[in-house]
Amino acid sequence: MKNILFKIRNRVRLSGTNSVSISNGARVRKCDISIKGNNNRLIIKNGVNIKGSKIEINGNNCSIIFEENSVIGENCYFSSREKDTLISIGKNSMFSRNIKLMTSDGHDIFCGDKRINLAKNIIIGEHVWLADSVTVLKGCNIGNGSVVGINSLVTKDIGENKIAAGVPAVEIKDNIHWDEELTFS
């Protein structure tokens, strides 16, 4: 029954031999999910809440993994493309709206006979907060407990417990921590 409800609540297109694993405790609604190729994996673990986003896997041996209790805002875009690429979202992370994560540029660029823009993994640590309209490009890792400010473009790694912001994003504060609960005094 859950499989039928999943397909009714989401637009799902699958081609090839692939694996989709969605925990019974996950909430996935109004998403556009496309998986093409072979040996690809989409894993959405317990407590994940994702609505109105696009998830795209196009290639072979690619994966997108949403770890436990992560909250993904509307109109986010996750693209794991080409071969052997991974997008991993750590536990208890929080994404606002309009977030983009892409392991590939989408088109090959060559210098002579050598391709110079290979696809690369994106690893988001645990308890990471990405504010509205953040874009994370291929090859970037964001450390546990970090925050990336609104409209930022992440082009290189961000360490643990940092605030980063800007285009391109740079670390502007360290040794921070954040809490999902807002308190006002």
Side-chain angles (χ1 to χ4, degrees):
M1 183 67 165
K2 179 162 172 87
N3 194 25
I4 292 170
L5 289 175
F6 174 74
K7 289 181 180 177
I8 291 171
R9 291 182 182 154
N10 298 282
R11 181 174 181 211
V12 180
R13 294 175 311 284
L14 304 172
S15 64
T17 306
N18 300 296
S19 168
V20 176
S21 173
I22 300 174
S23 170
N24 284 334
R27 295 185 64 204
V28 182
R29 299 161 330 284
K30 298 182 181 180
C31 290
D32 183 355
I33 299 170
S34 173
I35 304 176
K36 299 176 188 174
N38 292 302
N39 301 316
N40 297 311
R41 299 179 312 148
L42 172 61
I43 300 171
I44 302 175
K45 295 190 177 176
N46 194 46
V48 171
N49 187 346
I50 182 170
K51 180 181 177 188
S53 291
K54 182 170 183 169
I55 300 170
E56 167 187 86
I57 301 175
N58 188 353
N60 295 309
N61 303 311
C62 298
S63 299
I64 298 178
I65 302 169
F66 295 90
E67 295 290 348
E68 291 88 354
N69 302 315
S70 291
V71 177
I72 309 299
E74 291 195 53
N75 201 35
C76 292
Y77 176 66
F78 302 90
S79 176
S80 182
R81 298 177 59 106
E82 298 190 34
K83 182 180 178 187
D84 301 320
T85 60
L86 165 69
I87 293 176
S88 177
I89 312 301
K91 294 177 183 178
N92 303 309
S93 289
M94 185 170 67
F95 288 17
S96 186
R97 297 169 298 273
N98 308 310
I99 306 298
K100 292 183 183 177
L101 280 73
M102 300 169 290
T103 64
S104 170
D105 297 329
H107 297 284
D108 300 350
I109 300 173
F110 293 89
C111 185
D113 290 337
K114 183 178 179 183
R115 183 170 172 209
I116 59 172
N117 69 329
L118 299 174
K120 297 178 185 170
N121 298 336
I122 296 173
I123 309 296
I124 308 296
E126 295 182 4
H127 196 66
V128 170
W129 176 8
L130 300 184
D132 200 326
S133 300
V134 168
T135 298
V136 180
L137 297 181
K138 64 184 185 180
C140 294
N141 300 309
I142 300 176
N144 296 338
S146 289
V147 176
V148 180
I150 194 167
N151 292 319
S152 294
L153 174 64
V154 179
T155 61
K156 63 181 181 178
D157 290 353
I158 296 170
E160 291 190 2
N161 303 104
K162 308 281 187 184
I163 295 177
V167 178
V170 295
E171 295 174 357
I172 57 175
K173 190 73 102 171
D174 58 5
N175 297 318
I176 63 104
H177 65 278
W178 64 274
D179 189 358
E180 300 89 26
E181 299 294 324
L182 295 176
T183 56
F184 299 96
S185 48

